[in-house]
């Protein structure tokens, strides 16, 4: 019936007729107080009651016209001298309710005023004598029906607004979740690129050195192989940690592993030792009062240094030297990575049209924490990377 409101309203009208028509013909009118002036019910009266009551089938789609039609029908029966019946009085009250429940304030107020005025005039002009208390209570009934319809309309509008707001919040939450997934994929891609690029570069340099000296210096070659093995294990461990965030807690518990913390500037010594083992001379300067930055800045600064040294290994050449400087200011941390190699031209040429994940990752990391990044050739030769991070999150 909710999908077919007209059929439901028609059944309501039929139910009123099933009660009102028998009452109209079977119940005798009181023999006092003016009831003797009414005509006896006949077929015309039954027909008028039926037409007036069945108009309720359109009460939701056209509530105000239905109310006017019922008022007109009841006026016609009053002029003809027919007494009121349960069916047409109930139809009138339902019509008043429908105007208030299914139309805006202007039409509902108009319907309420018309219904109240009609009902008051009918009670006053009817041949039946009515006390002032009866007139007031009957008019209060009409007003109460109108107020009930108006309150239900406001309640339906309130719940509809709540449902719409909930649907909007659900869509917004879905959009935020998709954006978070995209951001997390980008972060994992940057992490994987940093890990793979750095460690594979170190392993490539060590493998090349071992190949060249294996015949004349087997001990150094074995040492280089050990370094390759150690760097490879470190790379696998870091990749397992990064990919581990994609697995469920149950998977992690099954394998009995806990996710290791992200590397930071506290791990810078180990990073530089791995780079020095490849043959690249790296020096570290720390100026200012060293303080712990926010966790995100800590990871971003470490990854920036790692990526810059990886690029130095790739492009600077075998005789290059590198410098890493950390400047702790009052409110910011400046990180500089410079080399004096010969790889400036090839590095710029390789990345001019397609900067790749390395440079893009650098810019994204620094920008994410409100910092500034400058990348370019160094005065006197070589290449330089300079980034400034705010110490506070």
């Amino acid at each position: 019936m909710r999908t077919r409101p007209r059929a439901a309203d028609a059944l309501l009208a039929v139910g009123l007729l099933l009660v009102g028509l028998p009452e109209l013909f079977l119940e005798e009118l009181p023999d006092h107080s003016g009831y003797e002036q009414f005509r006896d019910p006949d077929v015309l009266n039954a027909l008028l009651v039926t037409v007036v009551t069945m108009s309720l089938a359109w009460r939701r789609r056209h509530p105000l016209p239905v109310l006017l039609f019922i008022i007109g029908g009841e006026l016609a029966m009053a002029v003809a001298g027919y007494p009121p019946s349960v069916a047409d009085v109930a139809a009138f009250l339902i019509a008043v309710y429908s105007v208030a429940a299914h139309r805006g304030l202007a039409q509902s107020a108009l319907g309420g005023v018309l219904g109240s005025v009609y009902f008051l005039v009918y009670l006053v002009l009817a041949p039946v004598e009515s006390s002032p208390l009866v007139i007031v209570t009957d008019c209060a009934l009409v007003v109460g029906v109108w107020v009930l319809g108006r309150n239900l309309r406001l309640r339906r509008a309130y719940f509809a607004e709540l449902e719409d707001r909930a649907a909007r919040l659900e869509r917004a939450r879905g959009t935020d979740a998709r954006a978070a997934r995209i951001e997390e994929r980008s972060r994992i891609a940057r992490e994987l690129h940093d890990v793979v690029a750095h460690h594979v570069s170190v392993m490539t340099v060590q493998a090349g050195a071992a190949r060249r000296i294996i015949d004349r210096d087997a001990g150094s070659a074995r040492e280089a192989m050990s370094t390759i093995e150690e760097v490879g294990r470190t790379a696998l461990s870091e990749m397992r940690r990064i990919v581990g965030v994609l697995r469920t807690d149950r998977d992690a518990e099954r394998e009995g592993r806990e996710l290791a913390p992200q590397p930071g500037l506290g791990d810078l010594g180990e990073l530089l030792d791995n780079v020095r083992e490849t043959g690249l001379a790296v020096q570290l300067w720390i100026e200012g009062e060293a303080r712990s930055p926010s966790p995100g800045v800590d990871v971003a600064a470490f990854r920036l240094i790692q990526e810059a040294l990886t690029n130095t290994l790739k492009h600077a050449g075998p005789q290059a030297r590198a410098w890493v400087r950390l400047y702790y200011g009052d409110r910011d941390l400046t990180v500089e990575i410079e080399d004096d190699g010969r790889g400036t031209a090839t590095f710029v040429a390789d990345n001019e049209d397609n900067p790749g994940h390395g440079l893009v990752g650098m810019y994204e990391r620094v920008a994410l924490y409100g910092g500034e990044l400058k990348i370019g050739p160094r005065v006197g030769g070589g290449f330089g990377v300079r980034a400034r991070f705010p110490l506070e999150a």
Side-chain angles (χ1 to χ4, degrees):
M1 288 301 173
R2 290 184 178 180
T3 59
R4 305 182 64 181
R6 183 176 297 180
D9 294 335
L11 288 178
L12 173 63
V14 170
L16 291 178
L17 290 175
L18 291 177
V19 175
L21 290 179
E23 181 268 343
L24 183 65
F25 289 97
L26 297 179
E27 184 177 355
E28 295 183 359
L29 295 176
D31 192 16
H32 59 82
S33 301
Y35 280 96
E36 67 277 358
Q37 300 185 26
F38 287 117
R39 294 173 52 183
D40 293 331
D42 53 19
V43 176
L44 178 59
N45 188 8
L47 181 61
L48 290 174
V49 171
T50 301
V51 171
V52 166
T53 306
M54 288 304 299
S55 65
L56 291 177
W58 290 270
R59 71 179 184 90
R60 302 193 199 191
R61 178 169 294 185
H62 308 289
L64 187 58
V66 167
L67 175 62
L68 295 177
F69 180 81
I70 291 175
I71 292 175
E74 291 189 349
L75 286 176
M77 287 186 286
V79 171
Y82 293 117
S85 66
V86 173
D88 61 84
V89 173
F92 167 75
L93 294 176
I94 293 174
V96 172
Y97 163 84
S98 301
V99 172
H102 298 287
R103 285 296 178 266
L105 180 60
Q107 288 195 31
S108 64
L110 177 61
V113 171
L114 290 176
S116 300
V117 171
Y118 158 73
F119 203 69
L120 177 62
V121 171
Y122 181 85
L123 291 176
V124 172
L125 298 182
V128 179
E129 296 181 3
S130 299
S131 65
L133 180 62
V134 172
I135 294 176
V136 171
T137 54
D138 289 349
C139 291
L141 175 63
V142 177
V143 175
V145 168
W146 182 89
V147 171
L148 175 63
R150 186 65 188 169
N151 288 339
L152 290 179
R153 175 179 173 82
L154 295 177
R155 186 178 180 84
R156 283 198 302 267
Y158 173 72
F159 282 116
E161 176 63 24
L162 288 181
E163 292 177 357
D164 182 66
R165 184 180 302 175
R168 291 198 303 269
L169 290 176
E170 187 68 22
R171 290 193 296 269
R173 186 172 64 179
T175 302
D176 292 341
R178 287 192 295 272
R181 287 195 296 268
I182 293 173
E183 182 180 355
E184 185 65 14
R185 291 193 199 104
S186 300
R187 186 191 68 81
I188 292 173
R190 289 194 299 268
E191 293 286 338
L192 285 174
H193 171 269
D194 293 342
V195 170
V196 173
H198 172 72
H199 291 91
V200 171
S201 297
V202 173
M203 293 167 65
T204 302
V205 173
Q206 291 286 348
R211 178 181 55 81
R212 288 191 295 269
I213 65 175
I214 190 170
D215 294 330
R216 64 178 182 271
D217 192 350
S220 298
R222 283 193 297 271
E223 185 177 345
M225 292 296 181
S226 299
T227 301
I228 293 174
E229 180 182 4
E230 182 181 352
V231 172
R233 292 181 185 277
T234 303
L236 288 176
S237 177
E238 290 200 26
M239 290 176 64
R240 187 180 298 114
R241 174 184 55 78
I242 294 171
V243 178
V245 300
L246 301 176
R247 305 191 344 249
T248 62
D249 295 337
R250 184 180 299 176
D251 295 333
E253 292 175 0
R254 187 187 306 128
E255 297 190 15
R257 299 192 189 95
E258 294 183 359
L259 300 180
Q262 292 272 23
L265 294 178
D267 303 305
L268 193 56
E270 182 180 354
L271 173 65
L272 297 183
D273 290 340
N274 291 334
V275 174
R276 291 189 186 105
E277 291 179 359
T278 65
L280 178 64
V282 183
Q283 293 181 333
L284 173 64
W285 280 276
I286 300 178
E287 299 182 8
E289 182 182 355
R291 299 189 302 280
S292 298
S294 64
V297 171
D298 196 22
V299 175
F302 177 86
R303 292 302 189 192
L304 179 72
I305 296 172
Q306 185 182 54
E307 177 66 25
L309 292 177
T310 300
N311 290 331
T312 299
L313 287 173
K314 290 180 180 179
H315 304 284
Q319 304 300 324
R321 295 176 300 170
W323 299 270
V324 178
R325 298 184 180 89
L326 301 179
Y327 298 95
Y328 286 91
D330 294 335
R331 296 184 178 180
D332 53 24
L333 168 65
T334 302
V335 179
E336 289 185 358
I337 306 97
E338 296 180 336
D339 64 71
D340 60 356
R342 54 177 173 79
T344 301
T346 59
F347 181 79
V348 174
D350 291 342
N351 293 278
E352 185 176 8
D353 297 327
N354 182 16
H357 294 288
L359 292 182
V360 174
M362 286 185 183
Y363 281 109
E364 287 181 351
R365 285 184 186 279
V366 177
L368 182 62
Y369 297 100
E372 298 175 356
L373 177 66
K374 294 181 180 180
I375 300 176
R378 176 175 170 268
V379 177
F383 203 77
V385 176
R386 179 185 175 92
R388 184 189 60 80
F389 295 96
L391 285 173
E392 298 297 330

